[in-house]
Amino acid sequence: QVQLVESGGGLVQPGGSLRLSCTASGFTLDYLAIAWFRQAPGKEREGVSCVSRGDGSTFYADSVKGRFTISRDNAKNTVYLQMNSLKPEDTAVYYCAADPYCRPNGMDYWGKGTLVTVSS
């Protein structure tokens, strides 16, 4: 059974950093693309970043380029999202998702999310 579990969310001040983790079970992480999405209150879910299977190409939303970094540790079957220079508008529930391909939506497998709150 495929499972994705996010962790690492919390409350952080503007300008601060957090590292989110997405740990997979039931499949080998490097066989699938892994993406991070987020959904802020009252807003639609949006793609944040994705790391492809195989060559590990990475993709970022314009709003997070230069601030967020996605990486994978295949030995730990975990994908990370390092978030620096956080802004109040980064506040959202962050979800990781898995699929054979990086997609803007319609990923096959989803975690339950972890809440990130950026506030002073």
Side-chain angles (χ1 to χ4, degrees):
Q1 182 180 359
V2 173
Q3 280 194 317
L4 298 169
V5 178
E6 304 94 337
S7 61
L11 173 65
V12 62
Q13 292 187 342
S17 298
L18 280 177
R19 188 177 77 161
L20 305 184
S21 300
C22 173
T23 300
S25 60
F27 69 100
T28 301
L29 201 66
D30 58 351
Y31 288 175
L32 294 175
I34 305 295
W36 286 96
F37 291 79
R38 68 185 180 186
Q39 187 166 20
K43 295 188 176 181
E44 292 188 354
R45 185 173 62 200
E46 64 172 342
V48 175
S49 183
C50 190
V51 55
S52 66
R53 61 179 176 171
D55 67 359
S57 298
T58 57
F59 306 92
Y60 297 94
D62 288 343
S63 58
V64 306
K65 278 181 184 175
R67 300 189 298 122
F68 291 10
T69 304
I70 192 170
S71 62
R72 64 197 309 160
D73 184 336
N74 291 334
K76 294 183 178 180
N77 230 30
T78 298
V79 168
Y80 302 101
L81 185 68
Q82 178 67 45
M83 307 187 295
N84 300 328
S85 302
L86 283 161
K87 305 175 181 180
E89 52 264 42
D90 294 317
T91 295
V93 177
Y94 284 71
Y95 302 88
C96 68
D99 190 271
Y101 303 98
C102 289
R103 303 181 190 275
N105 50 50
M107 302 283 281
D108 283 345
Y109 306 103
W110 291 84
K112 294 184 178 181
T114 185
L115 177 63
V116 172
T117 303
V118 185
S119 175
S120 54

